């Protein structure tokens, strides 16, 4: 069964709305979670690394004030797309890594399809 | 900087044919991990394999096999006796930092298996 839950799976909202996406590790503690974005028919691009109890690390070109990441507990990271616009429409997918060892694999959520009208 | 190249954008074969998906990577890390994921139309990522940079043994899992060659920085994926259910987009990915970093994905190969 799934070990990472992502919610919601699908969102349609008006331009200017802020949207929050949750990523939960179901049966393990995840000190590190990752957020990716995938535009239609394109690859997944790493947006940011979310570390429990500290600020997220954003990849070059990703606006941290636009994409707010909060990793307040060992099982939950949230991505908030603030004042979303049509160009933010995309497939957002998170992953969580068990423990802190580099040998640990990442488990992916099922993704969130965000459509901004 | 890391880079993963999947030169084949789309491959179409007839069912039961064998098909190989190519993956070439670039990294300066001495310890890294390579992955293959399957993404069906529903969007979720299905994990297929993870291989660390020190293990060059080829792996076989049912109809799937992987050929890792450090000398050519390649990690190719072969499906034997393909089936319609294999139709999907397949991504090759790389994790540096000894595997602790986020993944760098290739652009993906859209595999179409025709009945």
């Amino acid at each position: 069964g799934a070990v990472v839950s992502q919610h919601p799976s699908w969102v349609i909202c008006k331009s200017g709305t802020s949207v929050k996406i949750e990523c939960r590790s179901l049966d393990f503690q995840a000190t590190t979670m990752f957020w990716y974005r995938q535009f239609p028919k394109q690859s997944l691009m790493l947006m940011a690394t979310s570390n429990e109890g500290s600020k997220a690390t954003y990849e070059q070109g990703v606006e941290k004030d636009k994409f707010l990441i909060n990793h307040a507990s060992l099982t939950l990271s949230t991505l908030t797309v603030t004042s979303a616009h049509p160009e933010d429409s995309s497939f957002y997918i998170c992953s969580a890594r068990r423990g802190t060892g580099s040998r640990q694999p990442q488990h992916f959520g099922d993704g969130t399809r965000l459509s901004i009208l | 900087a890391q880079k993963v190249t999947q030169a084949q954008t789309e491959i179409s074969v007839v069912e039961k044919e064998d098909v190989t998906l190519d993956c070439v990577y670039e990294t300066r890390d001495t310890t890294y991990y390579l992955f293959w994921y399957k993404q069906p139309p529903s969007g979720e990522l299905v994990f297929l394999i993870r291989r660390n940079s020190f293990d060059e043994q080829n792996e076989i899992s049912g109809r799937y096999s992987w050929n890792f060659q450090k000398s050519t920085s390649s990690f190719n994926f072969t499906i034997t006796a393909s089936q319609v259910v294999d139709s999907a987009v397949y991504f090759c990915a790389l994790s540096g930092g000894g595997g602790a970093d986020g993944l760098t994905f290739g652009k993906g190969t859209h595999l179409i298996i025709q009945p």
Side-chain angles (χ1 to χ4, degrees):
Chain A
V3 295
V4 174
S5 172
Q6 192 170 336
H7 178 81
S9 57
W10 192 34
V11 180
I12 299 177
C13 57
K14 293 181 179 180
S15 185
T17 306
S18 292
V19 178
K20 180 185 283 187
I21 302 170
E22 293 186 349
C23 181
R24 292 180 185 274
S25 56
L26 298 181
D27 62 355
F28 66 97
Q29 294 183 336
T31 55
T32 303
M33 292 185 175
F34 302 93
W35 288 96
Y36 298 84
R37 179 169 58 186
Q38 184 181 29
F39 291 110
K41 297 188 184 299
Q42 294 190 26
S43 186
L44 288 86
M45 299 297 293
L46 178 66
M47 297 175 67
T49 301
S50 170
N51 298 297
E52 187 269 336
S54 64
K55 291 183 178 180
T57 304
Y58 290 81
E59 296 298 303
Q60 191 172 9
V62 178
E63 300 175 58
K64 60 182 179 181
D65 295 330
K66 173 75 171 177
F67 300 99
L68 300 179
I69 292 173
N70 186 301
H71 193 156
S73 77
L74 285 170
T75 60
L76 174 65
S77 175
T78 60
L79 168 67
T80 301
V81 184
T82 62
S83 186
H85 292 287
E87 59 265 30
D88 298 322
S89 298
S90 187
F91 185 60
Y92 293 86
I93 189 165
C94 71
S95 70
R97 194 178 68 221
R98 292 177 184 263
T100 57
S102 61
R103 293 172 177 266
Q104 300 301 320
Q106 292 182 29
H107 300 277
F108 282 86
D110 284 346
T112 298
R113 294 193 185 279
L114 176 61
S115 295
I116 309 299
L117 304 178
Chain B
Q2 299 177 62
K3 186 178 179 181
V4 176
T5 301
Q6 293 180 257
Q8 303 149 310
T9 304
E10 183 175 292
I11 300 175
S12 181
V13 301
V14 177
E15 199 172 19
K16 297 185 182 178
E17 287 186 18
D18 299 345
V19 59
T20 295
L21 309 181
D22 297 333
C23 174
V24 175
Y25 64 92
E26 296 176 30
T27 181
R28 294 181 180 177
D29 291 326
T30 54
T31 302
Y32 52 89
Y33 286 83
L34 293 163
F35 304 78
W36 275 96
Y37 287 90
K38 175 182 179 181
Q39 187 177 43
S42 51
E44 76 275 16
L45 285 177
V46 179
F47 169 79
L48 296 178
I49 190 171
R50 182 180 75 146
R51 176 55 51 89
N52 76 54
S53 52
F54 297 107
D55 183 1
E56 287 193 72
Q57 281 194 342
N58 292 330
E59 183 156 338
I60 298 175
S61 177
R63 297 185 295 109
Y64 296 169
S65 63
W66 291 269
N67 184 323
F68 176 30
Q69 292 194 346
K70 286 182 77 171
S71 61
T72 56
S73 297
S74 65
F75 187 42
N76 296 338
F77 172 34
T78 298
I79 301 175
T80 304
S82 60
Q83 300 176 3
V84 173
V85 293
D86 295 327
S87 297
V89 179
Y90 289 84
F91 290 98
C92 180
L94 167 69
S95 175
D101 295 343
L103 303 183
T104 298
F105 284 85
K107 291 188 175 182
T109 297
H110 185 196
L111 179 62
I112 300 169
I113 310 297
Q114 300 179 13

